[in-house]
Amino acid sequence: MHLKNIGIFALLIAIIVITSWINGVFVAPANLKTLVRDTSLYGLISIGVAMVIITGGIDLSIGSMIALCGVMLVQVINIRHERIDFSSTIAAVQNEPTEGFDKPTLRFTDPPPDLRDGDRLVYESYRGESTINVYRSVNVDDQVWIETHDSLRSIKPGLAIQIDKIQYTPPLLACGIVLLFAAFLGLIHGLLITRANLQPFVVTLCGLLIYRGMARVWTGDDQVGLLSALSDFKATVTGKAIEIPVPLIGRVSGERESFAEIVWIDFPVTGVLLAIVAVIAWVFLNRTIWGRHLIATGENKQAAFYSGVATDRLIVLAYVVCAMLAGLAGILFMLEWNSIQPGSSGSFYELYAIAAAVLGGCSLRGGRGAILGVIAGAAVMRCLYKAIIVLDIPQEWEMVIIGAALLASVLVDEIIRRFQLARRLRRHDSGGSDSGSSDRGGSDSGW
């Protein structure tokens, strides 16, 4: 493991220990759950941009792509309601939660068709056509009770009801379409950089503006969301995958009396996704010839090209991967928030991702990067953010602190590079060999 990668883990531990020592709430189970979830989401885009940085490029369009893909997911799913051929009257209403039900319930005089979350009951009120949002239907003693999201205080027995069934595109199909669209945008980035010889900064800066504008135009600059639809899918994707035991934090956070008591925290599905992506990225960089060629391209593109490496294809691949992970993050953020504001959602996320990658050991000169270090960098970014909240530091300091951390990381990177260069020159002067290093300090693609 590279010296700088060890440093990022030391910094992460220092932040956790110092913040917990000042305020134990920092390691409370609920806070740790949020930290793991946020680190997972930011870690995905950080790994994506790390692939691009390793080639010597940059991607400034990630935040806008997150917003555009979130908007696109809503549009592709296309939630709508269609009236079915069924009418009945209400037989009974229970406005207060009762045994077995957490929400208001009602029952029809006729057995209704199968109802699911997102369906609507339609009735005529003094304001015209009004609706009640269905949560679920439950069969109790051969009677079908319908649990609703809305209050039923104005609903009386005898009221005539019709049903609007919710319709939408299967969510996995919609997610697949969004990911393909994101990959297409990444392909355009790669082709403009390799075929048209445009600077990555310019190409992705234009993408930042175009994608944000497209999201705003597509929605009329209005917030869009999934409302109460796809509740099962959202619960699955944003829910917990497993529970993991963590010692000591119960006593430190003040939620347990003894250090010996083990506290179980939820490990989210997004964390599992990050682990899968991280393993794939590590194997690609460290166990495949294409990964080595990608690093060689970042170290010295011209030398790699004359060595027979398909540099342009690898650069295009890096931008496609980065865009796909941004698209995946856009989907996950959309499911977490349940709505998205096209003008502001995802703003500055590209800077957080770049900062995490650099903190984690990626060199902005290319040719160096470590996947586990990038994830640690994302964790440091989120821990800094949470520490600011827990320690009651004014939010205005967030950008100052994160910017200072990034500047310090870049300075350390430069110091390490100069130190390695000076050591290599001394070896050369003394007649030593230096066959394993490049003129940029050698590659490092380990964990």
Side-chain angles (χ1 to χ4, degrees):
M1 185 176 287
H2 195 271
L3 177 62
K4 188 179 178 182
N5 298 333
I6 297 175
I8 192 63
F9 283 101
L11 177 61
L12 177 61
I13 293 172
I15 293 171
I16 294 173
V17 171
I18 293 173
T19 309
S20 304
W21 180 64
I22 298 173
N23 190 341
V25 173
F26 183 76
V27 290
N31 201 39
L32 285 183
K33 175 185 173 183
T34 305
L35 269 175
V36 173
R37 182 199 63 197
D38 291 351
T39 299
S40 304
L41 295 172
Y42 285 88
L44 286 172
I45 56 176
S46 300
I47 290 176
V49 81
M51 291 291 182
V52 170
I53 291 175
I54 287 174
T55 68
I58 199 73
D59 193 337
L60 301 176
S61 66
I62 291 173
S64 297
M65 199 173 293
I66 287 174
L68 180 59
C69 289
V71 166
M72 185 177 182
L73 179 68
V74 176
Q75 302 297 333
V76 172
I77 285 180
N78 188 24
I79 298 171
R80 59 199 182 279
H81 289 84
E82 296 179 359
R83 185 72 48 86
I84 64 172
D85 185 18
F86 173 84
S87 62
S88 182
T89 56
I90 293 177
V93 177
Q94 297 179 152
N95 193 51
E96 299 298 330
T98 57
E99 184 177 357
F101 298 102
D102 297 327
K103 301 175 184 293
T105 55
L106 57 81
R107 180 169 58 82
F108 291 158
T109 54
D110 305 302
D114 291 335
L115 296 177
R116 59 177 174 172
D117 196 5
D119 289 339
R120 291 176 177 171
L121 309 181
V122 184
Y123 65 96
E124 289 293 332
S125 69
Y126 68 94
R127 294 177 298 182
E129 194 173 84
S130 300
T131 60
I132 302 169
N133 292 301
V134 172
Y135 172 54
R136 61 173 180 168
S137 60
V138 180
N139 196 323
V140 179
D141 297 332
D142 295 330
Q143 291 183 333
V144 178
W145 287 88
I146 301 169
E147 204 168 2
T148 69
H149 289 287
D150 303 321
S151 171
L152 301 177
R153 294 186 184 282
S154 63
I155 305 301
K156 304 297 181 186
L159 185 66
I161 292 287
Q162 291 182 297
I163 293 177
D164 284 352
K165 296 283 289 183
I166 190 170
Q167 306 289 338
Y168 49 78
T169 305
L172 288 180
L173 174 62
C175 291
I177 293 172
V178 172
L179 289 178
L180 286 176
F181 174 72
F184 175 71
L185 296 181
L187 178 65
I188 293 175
H189 290 175
L191 291 177
L192 287 174
I193 292 166
T194 57
R195 301 297 182 185
N197 290 323
L198 298 181
Q199 288 296 318
F201 178 87
V202 175
V203 171
T204 55
L205 178 62
C206 293
L208 179 153
L209 299 172
I210 293 172
Y211 306 148
R212 180 70 65 183
M214 287 173 62
R216 297 180 68 176
V217 170
W218 202 348
T219 60
D221 208 16
D222 292 331
Q223 179 174 299
V224 294
L226 299 174
L227 305 176
S228 59
L230 281 74
S231 56
D232 291 341
F233 182 69
K234 286 185 286 189
T236 300
V237 175
T238 62
K240 69 175 181 180
I242 56 174
E243 287 186 332
I244 56 175
V246 182
L248 305 179
I249 66 168
R251 180 68 182 86
V252 174
S253 63
E255 296 191 3
R256 298 290 189 277
E257 296 296 329
S258 170
F259 283 105
E261 292 186 66
I262 302 294
V263 174
W264 293 77
I265 65 169
D266 296 342
F267 191 80
V269 173
T270 50
V272 175
L273 287 175
L274 175 64
I276 294 172
V277 171
V279 170
I280 294 173
W282 183 86
V283 170
F284 174 78
L285 283 178
N286 298 279
R287 293 291 183 267
T288 68
I289 188 66
W290 302 288
R292 286 296 179 189
H293 284 179
L294 187 78
I295 295 168
T297 299
E299 287 183 347
N300 191 324
K301 181 181 176 183
Q302 190 174 23
F305 176 78
Y306 285 114
S307 299
V309 175
T311 54
D312 286 353
R313 290 182 183 179
L314 289 169
I315 291 173
V316 171
L317 175 64
Y319 281 94
V320 169
V321 170
C322 182
M324 287 190 71
L325 290 179
L328 176 60
I331 292 171
L332 296 175
F333 275 118
M334 176 69 231
L335 296 174
E336 283 282 350
W337 298 331
N338 198 41
S339 63
I340 201 160
Q341 177 55 253
S344 59
S345 297
S347 294
F348 299 118
Y349 283 20
E350 61 278 353
L351 301 184
Y352 292 131
I354 293 169
V358 173
L359 284 171
C362 290
S363 171
L364 290 173
R365 297 181 181 83
R368 197 170 71 202
I371 298 302
L372 192 57
V374 172
I375 295 174
V380 165
M381 299 292 291
R382 300 319 301 165
C383 284
L384 282 174
Y385 175 76
K386 282 292 179 185
I388 290 170
I389 295 174
V390 170
L391 300 180
D392 289 330
I393 298 173
Q395 283 295 108
E396 294 82 1
W397 283 93
E398 177 193 351
M399 292 294 182
V400 177
I401 294 173
I402 292 175
L406 181 60
L407 178 60
S409 177
V410 174
L411 288 174
V412 169
D413 178 60
E414 180 64 20
I415 292 170
I416 291 174
R417 188 187 71 85
R418 293 189 180 189
F419 172 76
Q420 290 176 331
L421 181 61
R423 185 174 63 177
R424 201 162 48 249
L425 289 175
R426 286 197 298 271
R427 286 180 178 176
H428 177 75
D429 292 341
S430 61
S433 63
D434 188 29
S435 58
S437 302
S438 73
D439 60 347
R440 290 184 174 178
S443 64
D444 177 17
S445 59
W447 277 111

